[in-house]
Amino acid sequence: MTAPRSPLAFFLLTFALSVPFWLLGAWIPTPEGALIGLPLSALQLVSPFLAAVILVYREGGGAGVRRLLARAVSPRGIAPVWYLPILLLMPAIYLLAYGIQRLLGRPLPGLEFPIGTILVLFVVLLIAALAEEIGWMGYATDPLQARWGALGAAIILGLVWAAFHLVADLQGGHSLDWIAWHRSGAVALRVLIAWAYSNTGRSVLAAALLHTSDNVGWQLMEINGGLYDPVITTPLTAIAAATVTLLWGPATLARFRRA
């Protein structure tokens, strides 16, 4: 019999494991010309993975760890139709945000989508997303949902997720306004990730793929001339999160309400 999972223990361990990466980011400047222009403290993305593995091993031994990792790579539970919103919803939001910026009269370059760059970004960012989602969704979400419901769990996890990234945001040289908008968008994104997770048989892979599609979208906006503006993207993401909550219900995010 395995011990009950503790989201609080997971959160505390995740933040403790992140401290060395925050120190690394403070000591070593962000490399110039990197494909993904993030400070080295962003390597903290392994912390949720490590925390989940440590806690699951303590609670259920090696068999529990193997089950945890298997959930991250198994497409089981993802109906083919769900790959469309998982992979295309966030890129569509970024394209809409670009269109809004053009309507506002901002001088913007044309968009380019180099296939090679997209493939490299997708693979690298999928590995990163899997490392995070094995912890956030694979370990912490189910006990949170059991107590707070799907929407409540997503908001709690989104707030912790936002706080988790604050040091890297600051070390990346972003303004406080930018961080506030960007991390508010992360909370809304977490609702969308929970929605995908809840409708795909609690698939960690589905969560990681949606997470990846978001990261690829904003990285492409940055590559195309720093086009990412969270002041525009965050409200669009929040509208999407509110829409799925209304249609699928806050309790489970998985009971579609037909009109």
Side-chain angles (χ1 to χ4, degrees):
M1 182 176 180
T2 59
R5 292 186 173 181
S6 170
L8 179 59
F10 168 75
F11 296 151
L12 292 174
L13 183 55
T14 296
F15 277 74
L17 291 169
S18 299
V19 171
F21 298 105
W22 296 340
L23 295 175
L24 182 67
W27 291 333
I28 302 176
T30 305
E32 293 290 338
L35 178 60
I36 301 175
L38 297 172
L40 290 179
S41 53
L43 293 173
Q44 68 178 3
L45 62 89
V46 302
S47 299
F49 167 76
L50 294 175
V53 168
I54 291 169
L55 292 173
V56 167
Y57 183 81
R58 187 189 68 177
E59 296 158 3
V65 173
R66 287 190 292 273
R67 287 192 296 270
L68 176 71
L69 299 181
R71 291 183 64 196
V73 297
S74 174
R76 194 175 193 178
I78 309 177
V81 68
W82 274 94
Y83 283 103
L84 293 176
I86 287 169
L87 295 175
L88 299 181
L89 175 59
M90 293 311 301
I93 285 175
Y94 285 109
L95 286 174
L96 180 57
Y98 173 80
I100 291 172
Q101 290 183 75
R102 290 192 69 92
L103 288 174
L104 292 173
R106 296 183 182 180
L108 303 177
L111 293 177
E112 296 182 4
F113 301 103
I115 298 301
T117 299
I118 292 174
L119 291 175
V120 170
L121 280 172
F122 189 87
V123 171
V124 171
L125 294 173
L126 177 58
I127 294 170
L130 283 169
E132 287 204 53
E133 298 305 336
I134 285 172
W136 302 127
M137 304 305 290
Y139 185 90
T141 288
D142 288 353
L144 286 173
Q145 286 192 355
R147 181 170 182 181
W148 301 103
L151 179 62
I155 292 172
I156 292 169
L157 196 58
L159 292 171
V160 174
W161 191 36
F164 172 72
H165 285 286
L166 285 179
V167 173
D169 286 341
L170 290 168
Q171 291 179 349
H174 299 293
S175 69
L176 293 179
D177 284 348
W178 187 96
I179 292 172
W181 279 103
H182 183 60
R183 290 303 154 200
S184 297
V187 177
L189 174 61
R190 184 52 59 181
V191 174
L192 296 175
I193 291 173
W195 168 67
Y197 174 81
S198 298
N199 284 278
T200 55
R202 299 185 178 276
S203 171
V204 174
L205 179 60
L209 286 171
L210 199 155
H211 187 162
T212 302
S213 73
D214 173 71
N215 283 339
V216 170
W218 73 261
Q219 283 290 329
L220 286 175
M221 291 298 100
E222 290 301 285
I223 289 171
N224 275 283
L227 301 179
Y228 172 64
D229 184 352
V231 175
I232 294 177
T233 305
T234 289
L236 296 176
T237 307
I239 290 170
T243 300
V244 303
T245 300
L246 179 65
L247 293 178
W248 275 266
T252 65
L253 293 176
R255 295 175 182 170
F256 183 67
R257 304 175 182 184
R258 297 183 182 276

